[in-house]
């Protein structure tokens, strides 16, 4: 019950941030309409990842014995999602926070999306998430989500000229810089994944706080 409750807290945080951002995006003036807003909304890795966290942790909290609940509770899946949301926090904090200053409710959603949910997810992983069976060979598979995201964003940018992030804007910084930024973030995530796999051997392996056998 404690595990489900704490998973639910993470899910609510992610849902609150992502939901508030959707409400703000749909508020007038909204020249793109619903379809255009959804496309724009889903072009941001921050929002995609927070929606993923909300779904994964929500399923684990509400229906842990269901197929999706068991899937999202797997050590490898939970660790990958934690990596994604940590990337959200780190990229924003070190690359984006000085070039965009939100205000009002946008400031609230921004803080939840980039700080509150990542911290809650990391604490959940450190303290109660299962970590048994994590292997370094799983890490390349974890990179699929950010790699596919980058391909789709760059493709959309070529078709529309619209890029969600300046460090991916081929029109302004060129293909070489854009691809180097993508490669750098994926490499950084891979290194972080290695650290998490190694650290998992010394951290509690599950909700009961049992330490791994030495």
């Amino acid at each position: 019950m404690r595990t489900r409750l704490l998973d639910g807290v993470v899910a609510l945080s992610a849902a609150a941030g992502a939901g508030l951002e959707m409400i703000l995006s749909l508020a007038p003036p909204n020249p793109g309409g619903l379809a255009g807003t959804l496309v724009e909304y889903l072009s941001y890795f921050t929002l995609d990842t927070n929606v993923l966290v909300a779904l994964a942790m929500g399923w684990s909290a509400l229906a842990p014995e269901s197929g999706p609940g068991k899937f999202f509770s797997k050590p490898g899946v939970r660790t990958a999602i934690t990596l994604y949301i940590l990337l959200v926090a780190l990229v924003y904090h070190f690359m984006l926070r000085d070039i965009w200053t939100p205000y009002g409710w946008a400031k609230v959603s921004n803080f939840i999306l980039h700080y509150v949910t990542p911290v809650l997810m990391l604490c959940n992983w450190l303290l109660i998430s299962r970590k048994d069976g994590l292997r370094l060979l799983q890490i390349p598979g974890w990179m699929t989500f950010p790699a596919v995201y980058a391909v789709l964003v760059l493709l959309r940018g070529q078709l529309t000229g619209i890029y969600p992030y300046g460090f991916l804007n081929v029109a302004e910084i060129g293909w070489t810089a854009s691809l180097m930024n993508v490669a750098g973030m994926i490499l950084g995530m891979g290194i972080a994944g290695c650290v998490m796999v190694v650290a998992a051997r010394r951290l509690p392996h599950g909700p009961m706080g049992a330490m791994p056998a030495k």
Side-chain angles (χ1 to χ4, degrees), residues 89-155:
L90 293 173
V91 169
Y92 175 78
H93 187 78
F94 291 107
M95 299 179 66
L96 299 174
R97 65 172 179 153
D98 292 330
I99 63 176
W100 182 60
T101 305
Y103 60 91
W105 285 108
K107 187 173 184 179
V108 175
S109 68
N110 181 71
F111 186 72
I112 295 172
L113 291 166
H114 294 107
Y115 291 108
V116 177
T117 300
V119 169
L120 288 175
M121 188 69 188
L122 178 60
C123 290
N124 185 289
W125 184 84
L126 288 170
L127 299 175
I128 66 171
S129 293
R130 288 177 51 208
K131 305 172 194 67
D132 51 297
L134 289 177
R135 304 184 309 277
L136 294 175
L137 290 177
Q138 293 175 288
I139 295 174
W142 297 346
M143 302 301 104
T144 302
F145 177 59
V148 170
Y149 167 82
V151 169
L152 293 176
V153 164
L154 292 173
L155 178 60

Side-chain angles (χ1 to χ4, degrees), residues 42-107:
L42 294 174
S43 71
Y44 288 91
F45 189 79
T46 292
L47 296 172
D48 293 341
T49 305
N50 272 271
V51 170
L52 176 60
V53 170
L55 290 173
M57 302 304 281
W59 236 305
S60 295
L62 297 175
E65 297 303 318
S66 67
K70 291 179 179 179
F71 173 78
F72 287 124
S73 295
K74 289 182 178 180
V77 175
R78 182 67 62 89
T79 302
I81 295 173
T82 304
L83 269 176
Y84 304 152
I85 198 67
L86 288 179
L87 179 66
V88 166
L90 293 173
V91 169
Y92 175 78
H93 187 78
F94 291 107
M95 299 179 66
L96 299 174
R97 65 172 179 153
D98 292 330
I99 63 176
W100 182 60
T101 305
Y103 60 91
W105 285 108
K107 187 173 184 179

Side-chain angles (χ1 to χ4, degrees), residues 175-191:
W175 274 103
T176 300
S178 296
L179 292 176
M180 286 183 64
N181 287 335
V182 171
M185 284 184 286
I186 291 178
L187 177 61
M189 187 183 294
I191 293 172

